[in-house]
Amino acid sequence: MWRCAVLSLACTGCFNPDDILAAHGRVASVDPVEGQVVRLLRYVNNQPDTFPGEEWCSLATPLKETRADAEGKFGYEVFRVETRSALCFRIDASFPSGSVAWSDFTFYGPETQLAPLLDWRAAPWLDAGVLHFDPPVPWPDDLPPLVMGNRTYVGIQLTHREQLVTTDGGIAWQADDRLQVPDASVFPYEYAREPLVMDALRLEDFEGTLSLSAWLYDPDQEVALVSSGTSPTRMRAGERLALRGTRVPLSRGLPCPELGTPCPLTDRELTTVDAGLINEVALNLLTPSMVSAIVIRGASIGDGLIRIVLATEDGGVAAELEHTVPYSGFGPSPGGESFRLPDGGYAQLRLAYVVLPVDAGTPSSRVILQFPAGLARIQEVSLFE
């Protein structure tokens, strides 16, 4: 089969282009679902020398459209020739509640059973800076994977993501509630769940809307893939929280000559800056201050490693700390963009939106951010007293 896939352009006899492939699924909502529109989208790679990676399905364009029956069931039929050069298919449904659900898959075999599309009503609310909401399915037990022989068994995996988008479209904050534990460096990976927080530091003085997304992997929903497994469902809740912060960081407007003048990291613009894999950024305070927290937004960091040095006015070191950004459970497996280090090794970029508490015990005049494996991109850095 793989030989046919590789040589499909030269070996037209490997399959019948008129073969019909079918995909079936269902939508689920507290409201009646009969007539719910479900779209089938397709991404065709017209440039074989390119490799879009995880962005395949985000580039998909509509292919067909159907409607669910009274039980929420729907189905598609496509000719096999329609799957040629298609790297990814996507189904999606936009519900009257404002929620959206989608699932990505590839046709393998004559029948494909798709993961359910859920109309997620999150009903989010904030209490003392902690985000509360209703999950799309009952909260699962976050148990580590079970290895038996040469097989690995996992239960339901559910990850939620909060995202604060400003009025002009910038992402001021992003966080996931299920993260890989620090010492889980080999498969099967273990994850831990953390609360989603939206406090004064994360909100800063930005104004925008807080939204929720979810990634659901349910092994009880069997899907016909090349290997046994399931197709995850992604969702975005329709409810939003309008938020406006008032806390201004003491770093606003400070220079950072390593990345340009005026400094793009302290201007509140949330513009993504290409840092060119530099290893250090320093902010000099106008007057010595008791720095209590450092907020980094939208940073792509080699191996997720950050080192912080707080220096005093006389050049001494007031405090040092190190933080490793964990992998997120918001996806099928941990990983990121790989790049080659000057010493010949490799590192992976991890996206960081982090709050780092610090306690130097004395006023600091200079804050140095170090990235041993390189800083590729970054949006904003904020220092708070």
Side-chain angles (χ1 to χ4, degrees), residues 329-373:
F330 202 83
S333 62
E337 179 185 344
S338 297
F339 63 95
R340 193 174 184 87
L341 297 169
D343 62 6
Y346 287 88
Q348 283 190 323
L349 295 177
R350 303 187 197 180
L351 181 63
Y353 286 83
V354 295
V355 175
L356 303 175
V358 294
D359 184 9
T362 187
S364 301
S365 295
R366 182 177 173 86
V367 177
I368 305 167
L369 310 180
Q370 298 176 341
F371 309 94

Coordinates of all heavy atoms in Angstrom, one line a residue, residues 329-373:
G329 N 0.0 19.1 26.5 CA -0.8 17.9 26.1 C -1.9 18.3 25.1 O -2.7 17.5 24.8
F330 N -1.7 19.5 24.5 CA -2.7 20.0 23.5 C -2.3 19.5 22.1 O -1.9 20.3 21.3 CB -2.8 21.5 23.6 CG -4.1 22.1 23.0 CD1 -5.2 22.1 23.8 CD2 -4.2 22.5 21.7 CE1 -6.4 22.6 23.3 CE2 -5.4 23.0 21.2 CZ -6.5 23.1 22.0
G331 N -2.3 18.2 21.9 CA -1.9 17.7 20.6 C -1.6 16.2 20.8 O -1.6 15.7 21.9
P332 N -1.3 15.5 19.7 CA -1.1 14.1 19.8 C 0.2 13.6 20.5 O 0.2 12.6 21.0 CB -1.1 13.7 18.3 CG -0.7 14.9 17.6 CD -1.3 16.0 18.3
S333 N 1.2 14.4 20.4 CA 2.5 14.0 21.0 C 3.3 15.3 21.3 O 3.2 16.3 20.5 CB 3.2 13.0 20.2 OG 3.6 13.6 18.9
P334 N 4.2 15.2 22.2 CA 5.1 16.4 22.5 C 6.1 16.6 21.3 O 6.4 15.6 20.6 CB 5.8 16.1 23.8 CG 5.8 14.6 23.8 CD 4.5 14.2 23.2
G335 N 6.4 17.8 21.1 CA 7.4 18.0 20.0 C 7.3 19.5 19.6 O 6.5 20.2 20.0
G336 N 8.1 19.8 18.7 CA 8.2 21.2 18.2 C 9.1 21.3 17.0 O 9.7 20.4 16.6
E337 N 9.3 22.5 16.6 CA 10.2 22.8 15.5 C 11.6 22.5 15.9 O 12.1 23.1 16.9 CB 10.0 24.3 15.0 CG 11.0 24.7 13.9 CD 10.8 26.2 13.6 OE1 9.8 26.8 14.1 OE2 11.7 26.7 13.0
S338 N 12.4 21.7 15.2 CA 13.7 21.4 15.5 C 14.7 22.3 14.7 O 14.4 22.7 13.6 CB 14.0 19.9 15.2 OG 13.2 19.0 16.0
F339 N 15.9 22.5 15.4 CA 16.9 23.3 14.7 C 18.3 22.8 15.2 O 18.4 22.3 16.3 CB 16.7 24.8 14.9 CG 16.8 25.3 16.3 CD1 18.0 25.7 16.8 CD2 15.7 25.2 17.2 CE1 18.1 26.1 18.1 CE2 15.8 25.6 18.5 CZ 17.0 26.1 19.0
R340 N 19.3 23.1 14.4 CA 20.6 22.7 14.7 C 21.4 23.7 15.5 O 21.3 24.9 15.1 CB 21.4 22.4 13.4 CG 22.7 21.6 13.6 CD 23.3 21.2 12.2 NE 24.5 20.4 12.4 CZ 24.5 19.1 12.5 NH1 23.3 18.4 12.5 NH2 25.6 18.4 12.7
L341 N 22.0 23.3 16.6 CA 22.8 24.2 17.4 C 24.2 24.4 16.8 O 24.7 23.6 16.0 CB 22.9 23.7 18.8 CG 21.6 23.5 19.6 CD1 21.8 22.7 20.8 CD2 21.0 24.9 19.9
P342 N 24.9 25.5 17.2 CA 26.3 25.7 16.7 C 27.2 24.6 17.0 O 28.2 24.3 16.2 CB 26.7 27.0 17.4 CG 25.4 27.7 17.6 CD 24.4 26.6 17.9
D343 N 27.0 23.9 18.1 CA 27.9 22.8 18.5 C 27.6 21.5 17.7 O 28.2 20.4 18.0 CB 27.9 22.5 20.0 CG 26.5 22.1 20.5 OD1 25.6 21.9 19.7 OD2 26.4 22.0 21.7
G344 N 26.6 21.5 16.8 CA 26.2 20.3 16.1 C 25.1 19.6 16.6 O 24.5 18.7 16.0
G345 N 24.6 19.9 17.8 CA 23.5 19.2 18.4 C 22.2 19.8 17.9 O 22.1 20.7 17.0
Y346 N 21.1 19.3 18.5 CA 19.7 19.7 18.0 C 18.9 20.2 19.2 O 19.1 19.7 20.4 CB 19.0 18.6 17.3 CG 19.5 18.4 15.9 CD1 20.5 17.5 15.7 CD2 19.0 19.0 14.8 CE1 21.0 17.2 14.4 CE2 19.4 18.8 13.5 CZ 20.5 17.9 13.3 OH 20.9 17.7 12.1
A347 N 18.0 21.1 19.0 CA 17.1 21.6 20.0 C 15.7 21.7 19.4 O 15.6 21.8 18.2 CB 17.6 22.9 20.6
Q348 N 14.7 21.7 20.3 CA 13.4 21.9 19.8 C 12.8 23.2 20.4 O 13.0 23.4 21.6 CB 12.5 20.7 20.2 CG 12.7 19.5 19.3 CD 11.6 18.4 19.6 OE1 11.2 18.2 20.7 NE2 11.2 17.8 18.5
L349 N 12.0 23.9 19.6 CA 11.4 25.1 20.1 C 10.1 24.8 20.9 O 9.3 23.9 20.5 CB 11.1 26.1 19.0 CG 12.3 26.6 18.2 CD1 11.8 27.5 17.0 CD2 13.2 27.4 19.1
R350 N 10.0 25.4 22.0 CA 8.7 25.3 22.8 C 8.2 26.7 23.0 O 8.9 27.7 23.3 CB 9.0 24.7 24.2 CG 9.7 23.3 24.1 CD 9.8 22.7 25.4 NE 10.7 21.6 25.4 CZ 11.0 20.8 26.5 NH1 10.4 21.0 27.6 NH2 11.9 19.9 26.4
L351 N 6.9 26.8 22.7 CA 6.2 28.1 22.9 C 5.9 28.4 24.3 O 5.4 27.6 25.1 CB 4.9 28.1 22.1 CG 4.1 29.4 22.1 CD1 4.9 30.5 21.5 CD2 2.7 29.2 21.4
A352 N 6.3 29.6 24.8 CA 6.2 29.9 26.2 C 5.4 31.2 26.4 O 5.7 32.2 25.8 CB 7.7 30.2 26.8
Y353 N 4.4 31.0 27.3 CA 3.7 32.1 27.9 C 3.8 31.8 29.4 O 3.2 30.9 29.9 CB 2.2 32.2 27.5 CG 2.0 32.7 26.1 CD1 2.1 31.9 25.0 CD2 1.6 34.1 25.9 CE1 1.8 32.4 23.7 CE2 1.4 34.5 24.6 CZ 1.5 33.7 23.6 OH 1.2 34.2 22.3
V354 N 4.7 32.5 30.1 CA 5.1 32.0 31.5 C 5.1 33.2 32.4 O 5.5 34.4 32.0 CB 6.4 31.3 31.5 CG1 6.3 30.0 30.8 CG2 7.5 32.1 31.0
V355 N 4.8 33.0 33.7 CA 4.9 33.9 34.7 C 6.0 33.3 35.7 O 5.8 32.2 36.2 CB 3.6 34.2 35.5 CG1 3.9 35.1 36.7 CG2 2.6 34.8 34.6
L356 N 7.1 34.0 35.9 CA 8.2 33.6 36.7 C 8.3 34.4 38.0 O 8.8 35.6 37.9 CB 9.5 33.6 36.0 CG 9.5 32.8 34.6 CD1 10.8 33.0 33.9 CD2 9.3 31.3 34.9
P357 N 7.8 33.9 39.1 CA 8.0 34.7 40.4 C 9.5 34.7 40.8 O 10.2 33.8 40.6 CB 7.2 33.9 41.4 CG 6.3 33.0 40.6 CD 7.1 32.7 39.3
V358 N 9.9 35.9 41.3 CA 11.3 36.0 41.7 C 11.3 36.8 43.0 O 10.4 37.5 43.4 CB 12.2 36.8 40.7 CG1 12.3 36.0 39.4 CG2 11.5 38.2 40.4
D359 N 12.4 36.5 43.8 CA 12.5 37.2 45.1 C 14.0 37.4 45.4 O 14.7 36.5 45.9 CB 11.9 36.3 46.2 CG 12.0 37.0 47.6 OD1 12.4 38.2 47.6 OD2 11.7 36.3 48.6
A360 N 14.5 38.6 44.9 CA 15.9 38.9 45.1 C 16.3 39.3 46.5 O 17.4 39.3 46.9 CB 16.4 39.9 44.1
G361 N 15.3 39.8 47.2 CA 15.5 40.3 48.6 C 16.1 41.7 48.6 O 16.4 42.2 49.7
T362 N 16.4 42.2 47.5 CA 17.0 43.6 47.4 C 16.7 44.2 46.0 O 16.4 43.4 45.1 CB 18.6 43.4 47.5 OG1 19.2 44.8 47.6 CG2 19.2 42.7 46.3
P363 N 16.7 45.5 45.9 CA 16.3 46.1 44.6 C 17.3 45.7 43.5 O 18.5 45.5 43.7 CB 16.4 47.6 44.9 CG 16.2 47.7 46.3 CD 16.8 46.5 46.9
S364 N 16.7 45.5 42.3 CA 17.5 45.1 41.1 C 17.6 46.2 40.1 O 16.6 47.0 40.0 CB 16.9 43.8 40.5 OG 16.9 42.7 41.4
S365 N 18.7 46.3 39.4 CA 18.8 47.3 38.4 C 18.9 46.8 37.0 O 18.7 47.5 36.0 CB 20.1 48.1 38.6 OG 20.1 48.8 39.8
R366 N 19.1 45.5 36.9 CA 19.2 44.9 35.6 C 18.6 43.4 35.6 O 18.9 42.7 36.6 CB 20.7 44.8 35.2 CG 21.0 44.2 33.8 CD 22.5 44.3 33.5 NE 23.0 43.7 32.3 CZ 23.0 44.2 31.1 NH1 22.5 45.4 31.0 NH2 23.4 43.5 30.1
V367 N 17.8 43.1 34.7 CA 17.3 41.8 34.5 C 17.7 41.2 33.2 O 17.5 41.7 32.2 CB 15.7 41.8 34.6 CG1 15.1 40.4 34.4 CG2 15.2 42.4 35.9
I368 N 18.4 40.0 33.4 CA 19.0 39.4 32.2 C 18.3 38.1 31.9 O 18.2 37.2 32.8 CB 20.5 39.1 32.4 CG1 21.2 40.4 32.8 CG2 21.1 38.4 31.2 CD1 22.6 40.1 33.4
L369 N 17.7 37.9 30.7 CA 17.1 36.7 30.3 C 18.0 35.9 29.4 O 18.5 36.4 28.4 CB 15.8 37.0 29.6 CG 14.8 38.0 30.2 CD1 13.6 38.1 29.3 CD2 14.4 37.5 31.6
Q370 N 18.3 34.7 29.8 CA 19.3 33.9 29.1 C 18.6 32.6 28.5 O 17.7 32.0 29.2 CB 20.4 33.4 30.0 CG 21.3 34.6 30.5 CD 22.3 34.1 31.5 OE1 22.3 33.0 32.0 NE2 23.3 35.0 31.7
F371 N 18.9 32.3 27.3 CA 18.3 31.2 26.6 C 19.5 30.3 26.0 O 19.9 30.5 24.9 CB 17.4 31.7 25.4 CG 16.4 32.7 25.9 CD1 16.7 34.1 25.8 CD2 15.2 32.4 26.4 CE1 15.8 35.1 26.2 CE2 14.3 33.3 26.9 CZ 14.6 34.7 26.7
P372 N 19.9 29.3 26.8 CA 21.1 28.5 26.4 C 21.0 27.9 25.1 O 22.0 27.7 24.4 CB 21.2 27.5 27.6 CG 20.6 28.2 28.7 CD 19.5 29.0 28.2
A373 N 19.8 27.4 24.7 CA 19.6 26.7 23.4 C 19.0 27.7 22.4 O 18.6 27.2 21.3 CB 18.7 25.5 23.6

